[in-house]
Amino acid sequence: VKPPQFDYHDPRGIDEALALLAEHGEEAKLLAGGQSLVPLLNFRLTYPAHLIDLGRVPSLTYIRREDGVLRIGAMTRQATLEASPLVATHWPLLTEALTFVAHAQIRNRGTVGGSVVHADPAAELPVAFTALEATFHARSSTGRRSIGCDDFFVTHLTTSLKPEELLSEIEVPAVPDNTGWAFTEYSRRHGDFALGGAAALITIQDGACSRARIALLAAADTPLRASEAEDALEGKAVNEKVAQEAARLAVAEISPTGDIHGGSEYRRYLIEGMVRRAIEQATERVGR
Ligand SMILES: Cc1cc2nc3c(=O)[nH]c(=O)nc-3n(C[C@H](O)[C@H](O)[C@H](O)COP(=O)(O)OP(=O)(O)OC[C@H]3O[C@@H](n4cnc5c(N)ncnc54)[C@H](O)[C@@H]3O)c2cc1C
């Protein structure tokens, strides 16, 4: 299988990349790690006339903590984020989510920004960023824009980025003290795309949940916040019954797309179990 023909560009800096995007916009695709785009090209599911390789734009690769906020350059490799002690200490949900992403070889090439912009609802990073309430920073030759998770993910494989924009940075706010985390998922083999899963952040104050953030994996066309489940947890001491009820609410309104790996009803049942497990595990980890 061979990709369709395209003109290849390898800009040496962000301004050059943005100028190429401004010129070729609708007809161009950015190449990051190539782990999703190259298969799409080879299967001829996309036909860009221009491929703009971000591999030589070093200013898009960094992991920094500034004023308690995590800033990740879009071209940071998934493996680099996974191995970051800074991230493991302050944003362990991301570290845990990454252990489920594909295989080491793919994480070595695949970038954080590429995973986010590819916007597969079964991809772990977009779900973890949704639970963490991340902000996505976009750049074009004419300006900058910041987009929250709710507005960024539009549907399956589609974000609200414009053709002339690139994702430059993911900003993740600090996680409150006394917060436990968990990322759970089920897939047929480790490294396969998940059939369902959940990310949870549970904050406990005086024995009760003061804040809950839950996001669902492979439950809809985009990562999905389970707001009713979060509301059901807040103010309560989290025990098995409370976690079970929250999990029930999390899946009450979803109808995941079924396929040969599992029907919609089965996936709903699976996600319910994953949410309950994530809430319980996150609660157990508070204070660790
Ligand atoms: C066998 C296999 C198994 C996999 N399993 C999983 C899995 O279990 N979980 C999971 O989450 N992923 C999985 N992946 C996908 C992997 O994580 C990819 O690395 C990721 O989806 C895309 O990142 P990339 O850097 O390779 O991006 P690319 O493939 O280069 O690009 C993906 C898309 O994002 C766009 N893009 C990239 N960077 C930017 C940017 N900065 N601004 C704007 N647009 C941009 C590209 O134009 C393209 O449309 C798997 C991949 C393979 C091959």
Side-chain angles (χ1 to χ4, degrees), residues 29 39 67 113-114 143 174 206-207 263:
K29 274 271 178 201
D67 298 328
D206 302 324

Side-chain angles (χ1 to χ4, degrees), residues 157-193:
L157 307 190
T158 309
T159 71
S160 59
L161 282 181
K162 297 180 184 145
E164 68 279 11
E165 283 179 327
L166 63 71
L167 175 70
S168 57
E169 181 181 282
I170 300 109
E171 175 187 333
V172 188
V175 174
D177 291 342
N178 297 317
T179 299
W181 75 96
F183 198 101
T184 57
E185 74 167 50
Y186 178 78
S187 59
R188 288 171 60 108
R189 294 171 305 185
H190 185 80
D192 281 3
F193 274 104

Side-chain angles (χ1 to χ4, degrees), residues 2-264:
K2 299 215 167 46
Q5 285 212 332
F6 49 79
D7 287 343
Y8 174 80
H9 308 266
D10 64 337
R12 303 302 159 104
I14 187 141
D15 291 337
E16 198 184 328
L18 293 175
L20 284 162
L21 265 185
E23 187 180 347
H24 301 297
E26 300 271 4
E27 299 207 297
K29 274 271 178 201
L30 291 165
L31 177 66
Q35 299 301 298
S36 294
L37 182 57
V38 171
L40 289 178
L41 288 168
N42 284 345
F43 284 118
R44 302 209 171 196
L45 293 170
T46 183
Y47 290 79
H50 299 269
L51 211 59
I52 305 170
D53 189 348
L54 293 177
R56 294 181 202 236
V57 182
S59 63
L60 290 175
T61 301
Y62 55 86
I63 299 174
R64 290 199 282 268
R65 186 172 178 232
E66 283 171 8
D67 298 328
V69 165
L70 175 66
R71 299 187 181 280
I72 307 166
M75 279 298 287
T76 304
R77 305 283 168 188
Q78 295 161 6
T80 309
L81 193 70
E82 185 184 3
S84 162
L86 173 76
V87 174
T89 304
H90 299 285
W91 291 272
L93 180 69
L94 287 173
T95 312
E96 184 158 80
L98 279 158
T99 63
F100 292 107
V101 177
H103 307 281
Q105 294 85 342
I106 292 162
R107 298 196 296 273
N108 281 340
R109 292 296 306 161
T111 64
V112 179
S115 173
V116 168
V117 179
H118 188 57
D120 188 321
E124 289 81 1
L125 282 177
V127 169
F129 286 132
T130 299
L132 287 160
E133 299 180 307
T135 300
F136 302 106
H137 296 286
R139 285 186 65 177
S140 70
S141 62
T142 53
R144 296 167 188 257
R145 197 159 70 95
S146 302
I147 312 160
C149 290
D150 284 353
D151 295 324
F152 188 81
F153 297 108
V154 174
T155 184
H156 193 80
L157 307 190
T158 309
T159 71
S160 59
L161 282 181
K162 297 180 184 145
E164 68 279 11
E165 283 179 327
L166 63 71
L167 175 70
S168 57
E169 181 181 282
I170 300 109
E171 175 187 333
V172 188
V175 174
D177 291 342
N178 297 317
T179 299
W181 75 96
F183 198 101
T184 57
E185 74 167 50
Y186 178 78
S187 59
R188 288 171 60 108
R189 294 171 305 185
H190 185 80
D192 281 3
F193 274 104
L195 297 185
L201 291 162
I202 305 289
T203 310
I204 303 286
Q205 298 288 348
D206 302 324
C209 172
S210 57
R211 179 182 187 271
R213 296 290 180 269
I214 297 169
L216 308 183
L217 178 72
D221 288 343
T222 61
L224 203 63
R225 273 280 290 277
S227 313
E228 290 200 12
E230 294 173 357
D231 293 346
L233 287 167
E234 286 174 13
K236 300 214 179 74
V238 183
N239 56 31
E240 200 182 323
K241 200 168 148 230
V242 169
Q244 180 62 62
E245 174 58 9
R248 189 189 67 75
L249 288 168
V251 300
E253 301 290 329
I254 65 168
S255 50
T257 310
D259 62 15
I260 53 163
H261 302 297
S264 181

